[in-house]
Amino acid sequence: MRTAEELMERKEAHKKRSCECPYRVCICGGTSCTSQNSRDVREALREELRLVGMEDQVEIVTTGCHGLCAKGPVMTVYPEGVTYANLLPENLEELVEEHFVNKRVIPKFLYTNVEPASGRPNFVPLRQSKFVICQTPVVFERCGKIDPENIEDFIEMDGYQGLAKALTQMTPEDVAEAVTESGLRGRGGGAYLTGVKWQIAAAQESDEKYVICNADEGDLGAYMDRSVIEADPHAVIEGLTIAAYAVGASQGYVYIRPEYTTAVKNLTTAISQARENGLLGDDILSSGFSFDMEIRFAAGAYVCGEETAMISSFEWNRGEPRLKPAYPVEKGLYEKPTVINNVETLATVAAIIRNGIGWFAQKGNETACGTKIFALGGDLNNSGLVEVPLGTSLRTIVEEIGGGMVPGKALKAIQTGGASGGYIPASDLDVPMDYDVLVERGTLLGAGGLMALGDDICIIEHVKQQVKFSMKESCGKCTACRIGTQKMYDLLDKITEGKADMEDLVKLEELAEYVRTSAYCGLGKAAPNPVLSSLRYFREEYVAHIQDRKCSAKVCKPLITYEVNQKRCEGCGVCAASCPAKCISEREDETKVIDMERCLACDTCYQYCPVKAISKE
């Protein structure tokens, strides 16, 4: 393709070819569904279609993520748009017979929506569910609908139209100004205005400039960047190329960890296809602009989410943050001006150029424009990836899209922003998902991790695990982070062991504040957020652990006691036989008694007692 006109012709030609096959079946080939044997489901579908003689009437496409990560393998059948979930290879004989031969939808294989009020399953078409209705796909516009290794699929759905418009109808200054006016902020956690970053880099005088996509996604519970590359790699290529045009760069890189095998494979294929079709390389679309890109493998360090630490790693040095200023847009990779954006940010750019700044800015609110992808996890009925306008209330995400808590569990808190974020109590679910509002609450939007914690979670134990992650991932450059996170962990461990006093709680809070204000980089400064936000909203749990030596969630083993109800005990001996510590003895009346000095708090006796004679406090 040498011109924008040829690109449009390719789009129309592929659209006509797509109409030739009566059915198009999109089977998720993302990491989550692949781990749930989606490959076997795909092969079973091919075989069953062959047996009924319909293999020529059904186009089978392996796509990326559909969003329903916990309900895989997922398969959507077009033109009906019917989504089947939790499929097994043995289901395909019945599915082919009913759906393709007899033209009947099979309700029992449909996505199942759980009604929050009753907890009963409700079989509904996915497109009619709140999981879909409450979302606004921008980055996910093509995900789950196209073959990520087929550039023609991407082009058919307006792929590279944003690049064509930028190169043929706009100057580099126009592009940077449009992205600035759209209000797009970095989706990797820093939340800096993307267009402003581009404008600063464009203003630098240099013989070489670079653009980098940081796809080294290391935040706990966040996997949206990996999934976007798996599902729509050309969107990242297009966005990075537009960024290069805006700042005057001729070389770009995608910094990604090698264990993302599917993402790396799809991105490698997409880069080759873009080159073959004149969308990377010299004189792209006859515009006079030349740009190429390549993949660089990351070391897999959480601290490399910080721009200067990533650059240090990129240059084959230890991944440690550098002193700023100068900022990377002034002096970055190889001392040259460098723009670094994450995957989701770059995948948004082409849509802004294609549809206009007003289209994007009207999504979200005044301080947070556009949409954001969240990785829903925890005890929700619908966990997976969702995309909503910024400013959407946490209640809408959790109760409407997430389907509420699984039966038998009540919501205690929502953790946002991963290990660097904090907690929102269940009483504050109407808070909008907005960068600044969440900071006021003591947490972060971050990269988009969102974990629903049930009432069986001990907040202090959960905080301890987040701090442990930050402690292990600290690069060690500054004392505040290297030693401070270790000391915070030690104090939290002391509390969960039942060995702390109220003075330790004062020390913990003071230490967290010290690390927050003294750490060298943004990641170190954010490490105390789980501590500070949990103290803000769940201080009573800390006090109960220290003063009462009680864990209300019954998670902290040293604070748990077991006792045999002698009136209920029948002396069957099941508890004693199953106890690994052999700490259960028999009284003269054959009832049992537990020696708490030797007890491991393993919960075996409590679970195995057939008459529920053992209490747990």
Side-chain angles (χ1 to χ4, degrees), residues 163-355:
L163 176 62
K165 181 178 178 180
L167 295 183
T168 61
Q169 301 177 34
M170 304 170 74
T171 65
E173 293 76 16
D174 291 338
V175 172
E177 180 66 22
V179 174
T180 301
E181 291 298 316
S182 74
L184 176 65
R185 297 169 70 172
R187 299 304 196 233
Y192 194 79
L193 278 168
T194 303
V196 171
K197 184 185 286 189
W198 291 8
Q199 287 173 325
I200 296 172
Q204 307 301 309
E205 292 187 5
S206 177
D207 60 338
E208 183 66 273
K209 297 177 183 179
Y210 298 103
V211 289
I212 301 176
C213 171
N214 189 351
D216 183 53
E217 193 172 38
D219 208 354
L220 288 175
Y223 53 98
M224 59 285 293
D225 286 354
R226 182 199 71 205
S227 297
V228 168
I229 294 178
E230 289 178 349
D232 198 8
H234 284 284
V236 180
I237 296 171
E238 184 177 13
L240 194 63
T241 307
I242 293 172
Y245 177 67
V247 305
S250 59
Q251 180 63 45
Y253 301 93
V254 176
Y255 181 81
I256 187 171
R257 51 185 62 197
E259 59 263 36
Y260 286 179
T261 52
T262 302
V264 170
K265 176 178 69 73
N266 291 355
L267 183 60
T268 301
T269 300
I271 291 173
S272 296
Q273 291 176 341
R275 286 198 191 106
E276 292 167 4
N277 287 275
L279 296 163
L280 283 176
D282 295 330
D283 194 21
I284 298 172
L285 296 176
S286 301
S287 64
F289 173 66
S290 299
F291 172 73
D292 209 344
M293 60 183 291
E294 62 183 75
I295 294 172
R296 285 287 183 91
F297 287 125
Y302 179 56
V303 72
C304 290
E306 200 276 341
E307 290 185 341
T308 60
M310 190 221 72
I311 289 173
S312 182
S313 171
F314 200 103
E315 294 174 345
W316 310 110
N317 298 313
R318 182 181 174 87
E320 293 181 339
R322 301 174 181 176
L323 186 65
K324 294 180 286 189
Y327 292 92
V329 288
E330 300 163 319
K331 188 180 290 186
L333 183 64
Y334 310 131
E335 301 294 306
K336 303 295 184 181
T338 304
V339 164
I340 302 170
N341 296 121
N342 89 318
V343 171
E344 188 180 346
T345 308
L346 291 168
T348 307
V349 168
I352 293 172
I353 300 300
R354 194 173 69 239
N355 296 305

Side-chain angles (χ1 to χ4, degrees), residues 17-36:
R17 287 197 299 272
S18 299
C19 298
E20 294 173 0
C21 209
Y23 290 102
R24 179 181 171 92
V25 177
C26 294
I27 300 178
C28 179
T31 297
S32 180
C33 281
T34 298
S35 69
Q36 298 174 79

Side-chain angles (χ1 to χ4, degrees), residues 414-462:
I414 297 290
Q415 183 194 22
T416 70
S420 297
Y423 302 91
I424 300 292
S427 59
D428 197 20
L429 281 188
D430 291 316
V431 61
M433 297 304 285
D434 174 286
Y435 296 101
D436 302 329
V437 173
L438 289 181
V439 169
E440 291 172 3
R441 295 296 204 281
T443 184
L444 301 171
L445 191 70
L450 198 156
M451 185 70 65
L453 306 179
D455 52 2
D456 57 343
I457 295 291
C458 172
I459 285 291
I460 304 171
E461 178 62 32
H462 196 271

